[in-house]
Amino acid sequence: MGNRGMEELIPLVNKLQDAFSSIGQSCHLDLPQIAVVGGQSAGKSSVLENFVGRDFLPRGSGIVTRRPLILQLIFSKTEYAEFLHCKSKKFTDFDEVRQEIEAETDRVTGTNKGISPIPINLRDIEYQIKDMILQFISRESSLILAVTPANMDLANSDALKMAKEVDPQGLRTIGVITKLDLMDEGTDARDVLENKLLPLRRGYIGVVNRSQKDIDGKKDIRAALAAERKFFLSHPAYRHMADRMGTPHLQKVLNQQLTNHIRETLPSLRSKLQSQLLSLEKEVEEYKNFRPDDPTRKTKALLQMVQQFGVDFEKRIEGSGDQVDTLELSGGARINRIFHERFPFELVKMEFDEKDLRREISYAIKNIHGVRTGLFTPDLAFEAIVKKQVVKLKEPCLKCVDLVIQELINTVRQCTSKLGSYPRLREETERIVTTHIREREGKTKDQILLLIDIELSYINTNHEDFIGFANAQQRNTQTNKKRAIPNQVIRRGWLTINNISIMKGGSKEYWFVLTAESLSWYKDEEEKEKKYMLPLDNLKIRDVEKGFMSNKHVFAIFNTEQRNVYKDLRQIELACDSQEDVDSWKASFLRAGVYPEKDQVNTRSTENEDGAQENTFSMDPQLERQVETIRNLVDSYVGIINKSIRDLMPKTIMHLMINNRLVLVSAPG
């Protein structure tokens, strides 16, 4: 795409936005856009005004901008403003623009800043605002412009907190620091602007807006931009980066980043539009012989739509024979993945901390003995530790329910999309089904907590799979980790090796085969030409940050003995298209006995109350033997519980949430 084509990308998206707004539908297309977020009075409006180069936004104290404002970037020789709600009128006087925004805001939110005799709970407003902003910034298609004033602690920035919620990796967040001229004497924001303090992939840009006094004194924006330029050029902390600061640079960066962003999202946008066009054409076909005045037709149509919703929902959850979606996993398949990959992965993550566990066991033994010196490993210590481990299961179990609920609600939304032409029916159907899901959520969570409480109520050391005291003394922890059947294939699939240097052919896609013993990769899925086979002994997984320009998600495999894993590489970085794929591969590696590396913090020795360093391993060999024995017993018993929870969780969720919903789907309302 040449430069000309690039220039036309933003106007193209503007046209789409206009088209959807004029028909009052978003057509479920998240158009690429930049969303500005920031705390009250962070300077959002000023940034936008400087950006446009005109005063056009309402001013005052309190919450002034009370509706989302959609601005479009249009390059034009003549300067004018135009509103979608009065398309024919071009405003050239920007005071009138301000009045029109105020009038249009009041039309929707009421005059007098929405004041009425009914008291408004400010908390509610805060949540409403937060939900509204999240609606815009959660979309993968929006870039987030996070505005934070420099005279406030960056760690408490509302904008960055919200951006982090929806964009934890900071991949689509651009930081803007305002009010640099209002910082306390002798302080500056250099570390932030150099992207050292709270780094963002796309970095930070500093700006200096006009003060309220400047605005009241009618200091025009051109003069303000000149003053901003002078501020950066003459400030000792910012001189060296003056060219990367200020509103003109922000304009350039946003223009470029939005254009690139549109270019990246265009292919998927195009295919979505095409598939929607096809389904609309199909729908039009169905209405050719439609007689809208026939009252029996209306009742029949309503029933048909509700039944269709039921059938669609059923298919997406239970699986369908016809029209199988080949583009993405359906709700049922995703729920299956949560049960058998995501949930076991969360459970294994709970079991890691070896040193913490040993320390807890040794404290338990000492505390149970009290002043007496005990000769035998006490049962009480074993029970105390087991119970502590079992309680930890509550969190991953409840998380599993939340993930399933999210999937069910997404599935409901996908199924009601066909009711788009009947917004009230759609809304009501969604409300009824979602309310029902939420009711079941409470019952399911209670039942799951009950399962764990039942496990806690009686530690059954007579269980046939429990290793027992005698075996625990002889058994070494290492032999405890049973591997699956050798050569059993656990997973096959494409992965990119990310860190092979350009000299050696650059990052390349290979067909990977993971068995219980090894990881091999081949040229392609025919598995004829094997490139390498890596035994799984001493391998672990670690997370890798996503590359600056890359849209791939990466994890790495390394050897705990500090050996090279492949050729001269200390670790191989494997890249997938989505975080979901990464999680899924990690879960497969867990099944093969390859665990994620422990958190570094946990491997340090701890300080005791006197501040003296205390190593986790005691010098008392008898205590060490007891710790080892209990460690083995705990391992065995928690393994039994995990197995039973892994089995019962999906069953409980299926029984209480999924099988139960079928009754409802057949008759909403």
Side-chain angles (χ1 to χ4, degrees):
M1 181 177 285
N3 217 22
R4 181 94 193 95
M6 294 287 281
E7 278 173 23
E8 286 165 8
L9 282 177
I10 293 178
L12 171 76
V13 173
N14 289 345
K15 275 184 201 159
L16 280 172
Q17 203 164 37
D18 290 355
F20 292 143
S21 300
S22 61
I23 56 169
Q25 291 269 341
S26 75
C27 286
H28 310 289
L29 279 174
D30 289 338
L31 295 175
Q33 55 187 185
I34 299 171
V36 185
V37 292
Q40 195 179 326
S41 305
K44 298 182 293 297
S45 297
S46 298
V47 167
L48 286 177
E49 281 191 336
N50 279 12
F51 196 87
V52 174
R54 290 286 185 167
D55 296 305
F56 68 100
L57 290 171
R59 295 276 172 182
S61 58
I63 299 176
V64 181
T65 317
R66 289 174 291 139
R67 285 180 63 195
L69 186 67
I70 293 179
L71 286 185
Q72 293 184 342
L73 298 175
I74 297 171
F75 301 103
S76 166
K77 298 278 182 284
T78 55
E79 288 196 356
Y80 65 88
E82 193 177 67
F83 289 95
L84 246 141
H85 60 265
C86 45
K87 195 82 171 129
S88 52
K89 187 171 178 190
K90 286 185 165 44
F91 292 78
T92 48
D93 178 345
F94 281 79
D95 283 338
E96 281 183 40
V97 174
R98 182 186 302 119
Q99 284 154 17
E100 185 58 37
I101 290 174
E102 282 173 350
E104 182 65 6
T105 299
D106 290 346
R107 195 175 65 71
V108 175
T109 60
T111 49
N112 299 332
K113 309 243 165 131
I115 291 169
S116 80
I118 303 151
I120 291 176
N121 183 338
L122 196 59
R123 207 92 202 83
D124 290 351
I125 287 187
E126 198 180 304
Y127 285 132
Q128 275 174 339
I129 292 174
K130 191 172 177 192
D131 286 347
M132 181 182 73
I133 293 170
L134 285 171
Q135 253 177 32
F136 284 90
I137 63 173
S138 303
R139 301 170 188 161
E140 281 294 323
S141 59
S142 70
L143 293 177
I144 305 164
L145 197 65
V147 180
T148 304
N151 54 358
M152 171 197 157
D153 179 11
L154 199 65
N156 297 327
S157 157
D158 292 336
L160 289 173
K161 274 183 196 161
M162 283 188 84
K164 202 160 177 57
E165 246 177 77
V166 295
D167 177 29
Q169 305 262 306
L171 300 178
R172 47 193 182 87
T173 304
I174 303 161
V176 174
I177 306 293
T178 58
K179 307 190 182 182
L180 285 161
D181 52 332
L182 302 183
M183 291 186 79
D184 293 341
E185 193 68 41
T187 62
D188 61 59
R190 182 173 168 170
D191 277 0
V192 176
L193 295 172
E194 287 181 342
N195 211 15
K196 288 176 184 164
L197 193 62
L198 282 175
L200 292 172
R201 287 292 151 79
R202 297 170 187 259
Y204 292 85
I205 296 167
V207 295
V208 175
N209 299 324
R210 295 169 302 165
S211 65
Q212 192 62 45
K213 199 171 91 199
D214 291 339
I215 293 162
D216 297 342
K218 294 279 186 242
K219 177 175 180 178
D220 83 336
I221 284 182
R222 261 183 296 262
L225 290 177
E228 178 186 59
R229 179 91 181 124
K230 189 177 167 198
F231 172 83
F232 284 116
L233 284 170
S234 57
H235 196 294
Y238 310 131
R239 265 200 304 253
H240 67 293
M241 49 176 161
D243 288 341
R244 287 184 284 122
M245 295 292 121
T247 306
H249 182 68
L250 178 63
Q251 272 177 327
K252 201 166 86 187
V253 166
L254 291 190
N255 204 345
Q256 195 180 1
Q257 302 231 8
L258 182 58
T259 303
N260 290 344
H261 190 54
I262 293 171
R263 189 179 55 183
E264 284 164 15
T265 50
L266 220 48
S268 69
L269 198 62
R270 187 173 167 212
S271 61
K272 266 187 186 167
L273 270 171
Q274 281 173 333
S275 68
Q276 282 178 1
L277 189 63
L278 281 173
S279 67
L280 280 171
E281 283 167 356
K282 248 197 211 155
E283 214 175 311
V284 168
E285 204 57 41
E286 289 168 16
Y287 286 114
K288 283 210 169 142
N289 309 314
F290 187 61
R291 295 203 310 285
D293 301 331
D294 181 353
T296 57
R297 203 49 219 249
K298 289 180 183 173
T299 317
K300 191 177 169 195
L302 180 71
L303 277 171
Q304 266 177 344
M305 282 186 283
V306 171
Q307 277 167 339
Q308 186 56 45
F309 166 77
V311 170
D312 285 352
F313 194 80
E314 190 77 9
K315 276 187 183 167
R316 281 179 178 272
I317 298 295
E318 299 293 323
S320 59
D322 60 335
Q323 292 182 331
V324 175
D325 189 341
T326 54
L327 293 175
E328 56 173 4
L329 289 179
S330 69
R334 283 170 180 275
I335 289 170
N336 186 289
R337 186 180 255 193
I338 292 167
F339 285 160
H340 301 297
E341 288 185 354
R342 191 70 195 269
F343 178 57
F345 182 58
E346 295 293 331
L347 284 186
V348 172
K349 280 203 319 207
M350 305 294 302
E351 297 168 18
F352 279 144
D353 214 332
E354 180 67 28
K355 288 200 173 178
D356 266 6
L357 185 59
R358 297 183 82 91
R359 187 168 54 249
E360 282 174 15
I361 293 171
S362 82
Y363 282 156
I365 292 171
K366 288 175 184 171
N367 288 339
I368 285 163
H369 287 325
V371 292
R372 291 162 293 125
T373 304
L375 294 173
F376 303 107
T377 308
D379 291 359
L380 286 173
F382 164 70
E383 286 216 1
I385 297 293
V386 163
K387 284 181 175 174
K388 200 167 174 186
Q389 294 298 98
V390 174
V391 167
K392 285 182 189 169
L393 294 176
K394 288 186 179 181
E395 199 183 324
C397 289
L398 295 178
K399 185 175 175 180
C400 179
V401 179
D402 289 337
L403 290 170
V404 171
I405 282 170
Q406 200 44 58
E407 257 341 301
L408 285 174
I409 288 173
N410 288 347
T411 305
V412 170
R413 296 221 172 102
Q414 286 164 345
C415 296
T416 53
S417 61
K418 288 188 181 172
L419 307 177
S421 324
Y422 304 94
R424 281 196 55 197
L425 175 64
R426 177 181 184 171
E427 208 174 290
E428 196 53 18
T429 308
E430 271 189 24
R431 189 189 62 75
I432 291 169
V433 182
T434 309
T435 307
H436 178 77
I437 289 172
R438 290 289 173 206
E439 278 170 15
R440 305 306 306 170
E441 171 189 8
K443 292 189 169 64
T444 309
K445 285 186 170 174
D446 288 348
Q447 183 60 37
I448 278 159
L449 293 174
L450 179 65
L451 283 180
I452 291 172
D453 286 342
I454 288 169
E455 290 289 4
L456 287 168
S457 64
Y458 178 60
I459 306 298
N460 177 18
T461 50
N462 288 325
H463 191 287
E464 61 202 54
D465 294 338
F466 185 55
I467 58 171
F469 188 75
N471 290 337
Q473 282 179 305
Q474 297 150 16
R475 183 175 258 190
N476 186 312
T477 356
Q478 279 320 100
T479 55
N480 216 359
K481 290 182 181 153
K482 284 205 220 60
R483 276 270 166 86
I485 312 148
N487 303 329
Q488 177 199 4
V489 172
I490 290 171
R491 188 184 189 128
R492 290 182 160 91
W494 290 100
L495 284 171
T496 304
I497 300 187
N498 214 34
N499 57 331
I500 298 180
S501 66
I502 304 289
M503 301 293 289
K504 298 190 176 129
S507 59
K508 224 174 180 177
E509 210 175 12
Y510 293 105
W511 179 255
F512 278 75
V513 176
L514 173 67
T515 73
E517 298 285 328
S518 66
L519 177 68
S520 308
W521 54 96
Y522 297 81
K523 182 172 174 267
D524 53 36
E525 65 259 64
E526 287 182 9
E527 296 181 18
K528 287 197 175 119
E529 198 182 317
K530 188 186 276 194
K531 293 288 181 191
Y532 196 72
M533 181 171 137
L534 177 65
L536 299 185
D537 299 326
N538 300 323
L539 292 190
K540 282 217 167 143
I541 286 179
R542 65 163 58 112
D543 292 322
V544 174
E545 274 221 21
K546 209 164 124 177
F548 177 60
M549 294 300 285
S550 161
N551 51 1
K552 292 268 193 188
H553 295 257
V554 189
F555 65 99
I557 296 175
F558 67 100
N559 190 310
T560 50
E561 309 283 297
Q562 307 296 321
R563 295 207 188 107
N564 286 350
V565 183
Y566 173 59
K567 296 192 172 164
D568 56 350
L569 298 178
R570 278 280 182 215
Q571 60 178 32
I572 24 178
E573 293 180 9
L574 300 173
C576 307
D577 288 331
S578 70
Q579 189 52 43
E580 209 177 326
D581 287 344
V582 170
D583 290 343
S584 176
W585 269 101
K586 281 184 181 172
S588 303
F589 272 106
L590 280 178
R591 285 185 18 229
V594 177
Y595 292 85
E597 75 177 324
K598 276 183 223 158
D599 204 345
Q600 290 309 301
V601 185
N602 299 333
T603 55
R604 294 188 197 133
S605 55
T606 52
E607 291 192 9
N608 62 19
E609 289 79 36
D610 310 327
Q613 284 281 320
E614 177 187 70
N615 199 313
T616 1
F617 295 102
S618 118
M619 298 323 306
D620 172 356
Q622 187 190 346
L623 180 65
E624 271 310 304
R625 274 198 304 277
Q626 290 187 344
V627 168
E628 186 64 23
T629 302
I630 289 191
R631 170 77 184 91
N632 289 333
L633 290 167
V634 168
D635 231 14
S636 169
Y637 196 81
V638 169
I640 292 167
I641 289 179
N642 276 358
K643 195 171 173 183
S644 107
I645 291 285
R646 270 208 309 270
D647 183 49
L648 283 170
M649 269 287 292
K651 291 175 178 173
T652 308
I653 292 175
M654 284 300 294
H655 176 64
L656 290 173
M657 288 201 70
I658 296 178
N659 297 348
N660 178 280
R661 59 135 229 287
L662 302 177
V663 186
L664 167 110
V665 170
S666 57

